[in-house]
Amino acid sequence: MESIARARQLVKKYAHTVAVAGIDFEILENECFGFIGPNGAGKTTAMKMLYCFLPRTGGTLEVLGRDPSVHPELIKRDLGVIPQDTNLDTDLNVFENLTCYARYFGIPHAAASARAAELLDFVHLTEKRTSEIEELSSGMRRRLLIARGLINSPRLLILDEPTVGLDPQARHLIWNKLRELRAQNVTLILTTHYMDEAAELCDRVAVMDKGTILATGNPRELIRAHIGQEVLELNLTGIDPNAALAELRRLPVKVEASGQKLYIHCEDGRQVLHLLTESGYRHITRRPATLEDVFLTLTGRDLVD
């Protein structure tokens, strides 16, 4: 498959702060690629360099076959951006937000009107065509942002936290729309703090922390490589953690301690569960491993401001 974006030793610095510290990645045409990581990991900065909003400090970057520092206007012609912040024009109604935005791409009025009507139908907002922006719910505004980002029929759509703050119904509607775009050969790059969203939508993810990429791969493969198939959570309230750890050393498992819990990573939790219950431990939860486990294992469980 053709590469649609490629970075080598990509760096972004602000004065004495390094936001992106020499990362490498390659995003293929018609895949959904996700950047995940804690706040301040460098995800949004990397995205802004991809969509020509920020110049890089060092390294190389290629988007849609071009260097953003040399041909930003040519890249933007085939690029759609859905920002995290809702920056719709409140002086315009729903339909006008789309047709006015189309002018930036030189789309003739008749074609822009037809495209706007098509996109409002796509995001289920046709009935809101003449509504003011203040009349829309948060979910409707996110859907309108997606419609606006598609007005120029882009090959590449970049989404920064596409479902932030939305209820489950609105999130799933947007997920379905993104799947439909994939079926239309639109490449997606997104950031999200929702690990279920990344696992559901992304072919591959890059786990970022402190401006670096810690791991890249398919969500299922990352789970298998870093966690295993299952996780057991042992509540340590009233329990000597050293005694529990001594029991677990007899088994081929990885163990993380955090707060009042031990997180036990394994391929099959039955043997571990049997050993622990035989030893008198009772407050144990057994569950499938998830991408969130990978995220917390690689970036840490402690909150960092």
Side-chain angles (χ1 to χ4, degrees), residues 102-173:
R103 296 178 189 172
Y104 291 109
F105 300 95
I107 301 173
H109 179 72
S113 296
R115 179 66 174 158
E118 174 187 335
L119 289 169
L120 289 181
D121 180 64
F122 177 69
V123 297
H124 298 186
L125 287 176
T126 298
E127 294 182 358
K128 299 294 182 179
R129 175 187 176 112
T130 59
S131 296
E132 301 300 320
I133 300 304
E134 290 88 346
E135 300 172 16
L136 303 182
S137 67
S138 296
M140 291 175 182
R141 294 183 192 193
R142 296 306 295 176
R143 282 146 52 196
L144 183 56
L145 282 170
I146 291 174
R148 191 186 68 180
L150 294 170
I151 196 70
N152 59 319
S153 302
R155 290 175 56 199
L156 172 61
L157 186 64
I158 295 179
L159 307 103
D160 194 1
E161 298 286 344
T163 64
V164 63
L166 300 187
D167 61 43
Q169 290 90 344
R171 286 182 70 205
H172 281 271
L173 176 59

Side-chain angles (χ1 to χ4, degrees), residues 9-70:
Q9 291 299 299
L10 182 62
V11 175
K12 180 61 183 178
K13 295 180 180 179
Y14 299 98
H16 302 295
T17 300
V18 180
V20 173
I23 62 174
D24 297 343
F25 60 82
E26 183 172 20
I27 300 166
L28 303 178
E29 190 170 19
N30 198 32
E31 77 171 333
C32 180
F33 188 94
F35 289 98
I36 61 176
N39 288 328
K43 308 181 302 296
T44 296
T45 299
M47 297 273 275
K48 287 181 176 179
M49 287 189 282
L50 279 167
Y51 63 77
C52 313
F53 186 82
L54 289 177
R56 65 184 182 272
T57 307
T60 63
L61 180 62
E62 186 178 277
V63 181
L64 295 168
R66 297 182 173 91
D67 185 333
S69 64
V70 179

